[in-house]
């Protein structure tokens, strides 16, 4: 049985900081990581780790960030062959601290 997930894939930019900043203050990031994100693809990654065959349906931009997302999905054994590639748009990005 193959599990099909339909939803968004995003590029998560994760900034590592010393501690939670107080309101209206600035802190310097110690490190920044780029990761594949999105509720649907995150769930599919976990299901693949548990041994399920998974496929993802969604849209991706024709840009470098989407190529990063697709490479990460391939490493995580998420089949993305049903995706729709859109030109003239950019990959959604989430910033997480």
């Amino acid at each position: 049985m193959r599990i099909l997930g339909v939803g968004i894939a995003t590029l998560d930019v994760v900034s590592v900081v010393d501690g939670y900043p107080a309101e209206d203050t600035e802190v310097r990031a110690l490190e920044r990581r780029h990761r594949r994100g999105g509720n649907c693809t995150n769930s599919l990654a976990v299901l693949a780790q548990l041994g399920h065959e998974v496929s993802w349906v969604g849209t991706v931009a024709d840009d470098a960030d989407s190529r990063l997302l697709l490479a990460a999905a391939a490493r995580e054994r998420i089949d993305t062959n049903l995706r729709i590639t859109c030109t003239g748009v950019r990959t959604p990005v989430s910033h997480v601290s």
Side-chain angles (χ1 to χ4, degrees), residues 60-62 85-90:
V60 293
D62 186 18
T85 302
C86 302
T87 58
V89 297
R90 297 189 61 178

Side-chain angles (χ1 to χ4, degrees), residues 58-73:
T59 58
V60 293
D62 186 18
D63 65 3
D65 289 339
S66 284
R67 287 187 285 282
L68 187 147
L69 297 178
L70 294 172

Side-chain angles (χ1 to χ4, degrees), residues 3-88:
I3 299 170
L4 176 65
V6 180
I8 192 169
T10 64
L11 176 66
D12 285 352
V13 178
V14 180
S15 298
V16 178
V17 296
D18 266 339
Y20 193 81
E23 186 174 344
D24 295 327
T25 62
E26 295 181 14
V27 296
R28 186 169 300 276
L30 303 173
E31 182 181 344
R32 183 169 289 148
R33 302 175 190 152
H34 293 84
R35 301 281 188 252
R36 181 214 32 80
N39 288 337
C40 181
T41 54
N42 286 344
S43 297
L44 290 175
V46 171
L47 290 167
Q49 289 173 4
L50 293 172
H52 297 282
E53 292 184 23
V54 298
S55 295
W56 171 72
V57 176
T59 58
V60 293
D62 186 18
D63 65 3
D65 289 339
S66 284
R67 287 187 285 282
L68 187 147
L69 297 178
L70 294 172
R75 285 191 305 274
E76 296 166 324
R77 295 178 299 125
I78 300 171
D79 173 31
T80 62
N81 290 324
L82 299 172
R83 72 184 180 274
I84 297 169
T85 302
C86 302
T87 58

